[in-house]
Amino acid sequence: MTQLIEDYALIGDLQTAALVGRDGSIDWLCLPRFDSAACFAALLGDEENGHWRIAPSGGGPCTRRSYRGNSLILESVWETGSGTVKVTDFMPQRDQAPDVVRIVEGLSGAVSMRSTLRLRFDYGNVVPWMRRTNGHRVAIAGPDSVWLRCDATDRVKTWGQQYTTYSSFTVAEGEKVAFVMTWHPSHEPQPDFIDPYEGLEHSLHDWEEWAARCKYEGPYREAVVRSLITLKALTYAPTGGIVAAPTTSLPEEIGGVRNWDYRYCWLRDSTLTLGALVAAGYTEEAGAWRDWLLRAVAGDPADLQIMYGLAGERRLPETELPWLGGYEGSKPVRTGNAAVDQLQLDVYGEVIDSLHLARASGLRPKPQAWNLQLSLLGFLESNWREPDEGLWEVRGPRRHFVHSKLMAWVAADRAVRALEEDPALPGDADRWRAMRDEVHREVCEKGYDPGRNTFTQWYGSTELDAATLLIPRTGFLPPDDPRVVGTVEAVQSELGHGGFIRRYSTDSRSVDGLPGDEGTFLACSFWLVDALRMTGRTKEARELFERLLALRNDVGLLAEEYDPVSGRQLGNFPQAFSHIGLVGSALALVHAETAG
């Protein structure tokens, strides 16, 4: 039976991540990186596409589960007729090879357990050759090899059948059995093996120590810390890049075609990510993200992309995997993302805004950062009047999207501010001030509908866009401007669905060129929280924020979207953008209370 998206929990080692279901099955894991091919892909197909389940022999979902303290160590408990058992899942931060550790512990009585390991490399397409070596089992296919070890071979019966490795055993109260799965390149010698129990202690210490650095002590702290841990888990430690999600092709509509690969780093998230990390006290992570950004976007400003790979890779070709049936039949399953080749002018403003925020936040300055901003501004000055695909990566025609123009204004505004704050910086403040004024005038003339008192999605359109909720946050207009108030009211009314907010209307394919529908977009709903607060509707903002908190699953995770009709999470999971929104809104609400 297919599990709901919110039935999964996340474990990871800051270079990749796995999704563990309530039934004890790891149904998604890419090794050795977030963007590598999956060796467990049951999430997007069926069990034959790879999974690893450890659970009582009778099967069924766990009785309860939670993370241990402020960590990414998952504890799932089954209460059975014969006793109670706990499975602890985690991925210790690696020295070299990535490990998945699963420790089975008897809590009461005696419980018969079963492990089913079905490795399928290349997204479920390649069946490896399994052999025994020195008491271990080794799966090899092409460049990949996986070693499976157990610390209680005298009590665990293991055998192979139909290209699957099974283990059966019984755990009584106080007994433990640990399994460790280790990946490494197949051409290299046997990897170093970790002690699973020492790995558990070190992993718990690492996470608790990291979480203790959070400076936020106000209301909603548990939700804020869990979201920050999730953002940390989505960070590719070697470079500081943060993936949008660890998954691909989880659908925005069940059975639909809006299925995209999110295992990359988007520039659109940069300012909000940086702001959330700095505000919570994680300046080291903020600095690493800033440095990743500088490396990724270096070069000709005309070549700026909307997203990059984990290390700043530029080529992310989109491919379909026809052998995978898709989550609940949602096809196609895609890897790579063709949106990488789109023109999205808003990213220029987002990069410049991020670097401005980094400087204002006291991050150690980078000499090349200002020259990069001037280069990006020079390109934007000549190109901001062009139509583009906009931040939502529409696959319809290019348009003059209001949000793209808004971010062009942001780019010029931040340059002016920087030069006013530090006249020693090279640059022509009058030049950027003139550009800022021209963009502002055009947006107010062409992107605003005076009859309805709202900014629209693109020039001359009657459609609305939740991105216009960011207008007061950017400083384009003050929160009490009647046009801002009207925009907030219009977006809430026309894009509202079940108490939350859609990105834009999908009633017509003319906007994004795609069939079907999608759920409410959680990041946009957090933007509405912020807009309501800024326009003086603090009580409504808090009520909406708390409704959004209630959408988190039992271990505090959010996907990209939510369907109010079916009551299900949708889209890739867990989604960095959603958790960034949660952290930002929580901190802003508390700041508003303090200021008030």
Side-chain angles (χ1 to χ4, degrees), residues 245-530:
T247 57
T248 179
S249 300
L250 286 177
E252 297 170 10
E253 178 185 36
I254 299 299
V257 301
R258 298 167 182 262
N259 317 316
W260 316 109
D261 194 345
Y262 276 19
R263 297 172 299 158
Y264 307 112
C265 308
W266 265 258
L267 300 190
R268 75 176 182 209
D269 305 357
S270 58
T271 306
L272 299 178
T273 302
L274 198 67
L277 290 172
V278 168
Y282 289 99
T283 53
E284 181 180 332
E285 286 73 14
W289 172 240
R290 186 271 315 270
D291 293 348
W292 174 90
L293 187 67
L294 287 171
R295 292 191 303 272
V297 305
D300 187 342
D303 295 332
L304 185 70
Q305 297 182 177
I306 65 167
M307 70 181 87
Y308 295 86
L310 304 176
E313 297 90 345
R314 289 173 172 263
R315 293 188 181 183
L316 311 174
E318 187 173 299
T319 306
E320 296 182 4
L321 308 182
W323 61 87
L324 288 174
Y327 178 86
E328 292 194 19
S330 306
K331 298 181 72 173
V333 171
R334 298 180 173 97
T335 63
N337 201 312
V340 72
D341 297 320
Q342 290 186 349
L343 175 65
Q344 295 183 23
L345 293 172
D346 61 291
V347 299
Y348 290 84
E350 284 145 5
V351 170
I352 291 170
D353 195 24
S354 295
L355 296 176
H356 180 80
L357 175 61
R359 184 168 53 250
S361 301
L363 295 183
R364 191 166 71 177
K366 293 284 185 175
Q368 72 271 31
W370 179 247
N371 290 334
L372 172 65
Q373 291 175 79
L374 291 179
S375 178
L376 295 176
L377 269 167
F379 175 84
L380 195 56
E381 183 183 34
S382 302
N383 290 274
W384 71 266
R385 300 173 187 82
E386 299 297 319
D388 70 345
E389 277 92 359
L391 88 160
W392 301 130
E393 298 159 17
V394 300
R395 301 206 174 190
R398 289 183 176 180
R399 301 182 186 277
H400 291 282
F401 286 102
V402 169
H403 179 263
S404 295
K405 311 302 184 186
L406 168 68
M407 296 311 296
W409 179 89
V410 167
D413 177 74
R414 301 316 186 247
V416 170
R417 289 194 200 181
L419 290 167
E420 290 175 344
E421 292 164 3
D422 185 359
L425 287 173
D428 186 343
D430 289 338
R431 175 182 172 188
W432 306 128
R433 196 175 287 113
M435 174 184 164
R436 181 180 66 177
D437 293 345
E438 184 182 357
V439 176
H440 195 281
R441 182 168 53 253
E442 181 177 295
V443 170
C444 291
E445 289 176 358
K446 298 182 178 180
Y448 172 71
D449 182 345
R452 296 159 64 209
N453 189 29
T454 181
F455 285 92
T456 59
Q457 188 171 31
W458 71 86
Y459 289 176
S461 168
T462 59
E463 303 285 349
L464 299 185
D465 189 335
T468 56
L469 293 171
L470 297 174
I471 287 174
R473 176 189 285 186
T474 63
F476 183 84
L477 288 173
D480 59 355
D481 188 289
R483 293 165 293 184
V484 170
V485 174
T487 299
V488 174
E489 292 174 349
V491 168
Q492 186 177 20
S493 173
E494 297 186 30
L495 295 183
H497 179 47
F500 306 106
I501 297 297
R502 297 178 182 271
R503 293 186 292 177
Y504 52 85
S505 173
T506 56
D507 293 341
S508 169
R509 292 178 60 176
S510 64
V511 178
D512 61 21
L514 295 167
D517 201 357
E518 64 177 30
T520 57
F521 203 79
L522 295 179
C524 294
S525 298
F526 284 114
W527 294 351
L528 178 59
V529 170
D530 300 338

Side-chain angles (χ1 to χ4, degrees), residues 191-210:
D192 294 333
F193 295 139
I194 67 164
D195 180 289
Y197 302 104
E198 289 183 0
L200 177 60
E201 290 182 10
H202 292 157
S203 186
L204 181 61
H205 175 268
D206 289 346
W207 279 110
E208 291 282 9
E209 186 177 59
W210 187 86

Side-chain angles (χ1 to χ4, degrees), residues 118-195:
R118 185 172 285 118
L119 282 159
R120 299 292 186 265
F121 297 126
D122 191 27
Y123 300 101
N125 193 42
V126 175
V127 180
W129 172 47
M130 182 75 76
R131 60 184 172 87
R132 296 186 185 186
T133 300
N134 299 326
H136 310 306
R137 278 172 167 73
V138 186
I140 296 176
D144 299 293
S145 70
V146 164
W147 293 64
L148 176 67
R149 296 176 292 122
C150 176
D151 71 341
T153 54
D154 57 326
R155 293 187 288 124
V156 176
K157 177 185 177 183
T158 299
W159 70 99
Q161 182 179 336
Q162 296 180 329
Y163 306 105
T164 302
T165 301
Y166 296 94
S167 300
S168 64
F169 55 99
T170 298
V171 286
E173 182 177 348
E175 292 181 339
K176 295 180 181 180
V177 175
F179 293 86
V180 181
M181 191 187 87
T182 305
W183 178 95
H184 80 123
S186 60
H187 63 277
E188 293 184 357
Q190 173 180 311
D192 294 333
F193 295 139
I194 67 164
D195 180 289

Side-chain angles (χ1 to χ4, degrees), residues 210-218 221 224-225 228 277-283 587:
W210 187 86
R213 290 167 47 201
C214 178
K215 292 183 177 179
Y216 177 70
E217 296 292 345
R221 189 176 193 277
V224 168
V225 171
L228 289 167
L277 290 172
V278 168
Y282 289 99
T283 53
L587 270 58

